[in-house]
Amino acid sequence: MEVAPGIHRVGTETVVNAYLVVEAGEVTVVDAAISGLYRELPRELAAMGRTIEDVRALILTHGHSDHIGFAERLRTDRGVPVMVHEADAALARGEVPNPSKGLGPTKISPLVRFLWFSAIRGGLRTRHVGEVSSFGDGATLDVPGSPRVILTPGHTPGSAVLHFASQGALLIGDAFATYAVTTGASGPRVAPFTADADEAVGSLARIEDIDADVVLPGHGDPWRGGVAEAVRLVRTTASHPSR
Ligand SMILES: [Zn+2]
């Protein structure tokens, strides 16, 4: 569905998100969610008046398995280049273990929903990415939408936020989430599976002054209340974990 002018989210649920950004008829995919979401790509592209032939690049916000889902398939079937921040390249290739240290607080029913959502879409069969090209902090990527990269380490060392200024959108991956897949809590908060929560919260100072109409997270609904307000709420919930 369309979540901002020129940006669609793949699929109807917001448990695990992948986004399509179109500019001048060409498409950048941001995050590859769970492998089974691949079969929903053609329909979502068609809703934008595009096809898989129009996809020029896949940008990963970070190297976690619930973001690299169909990346390898898109790369090998369609020759679409896959890009990730250099600090997460080894994670995306499956060469290093996940740096996150556990689940944190959980509630059974949302956690089961997440695991079930992932399992029926092939999340247990995720293939690592054979080849990735990497980018650094501050880069403006030469892909449709020309996003600027802001490194926000904490969730993973190479977690990157992508600012699509022409679309008025900030694609944040798991720099923070608006839905916690482990507890079902909604609203801006530190994402589950974050390796270093203090570092993740600290990194948000790097994005809080950005002016964007919509914030699009890896997990949860779009946030339209401004970046600064979202960051304020993440800080509040981080210092009062019961909220
Ligand atoms: Zn993640």
Side-chain angles (χ1 to χ4, degrees), residues 13 30 46 62 81 89 94 98 126 138 143 145 150 162 179 182 188 193 214 234:
E13 293 188 56
V30 177
H62 62 294
N98 181 355
T126 297
V143 300
I150 305 107
L162 303 169
Y179 172 78
T182 45
F193 309 106
V214 64
V234 177

Side-chain angles (χ1 to χ4, degrees), residues 62-67 155-156 159 173-174 191-194 219:
H62 62 294
H64 272 161
S65 60
D66 58 334
H67 293 255
H155 183 70
T156 61
S159 281
D174 293 357
F193 309 106
T194 289
H219 307 279

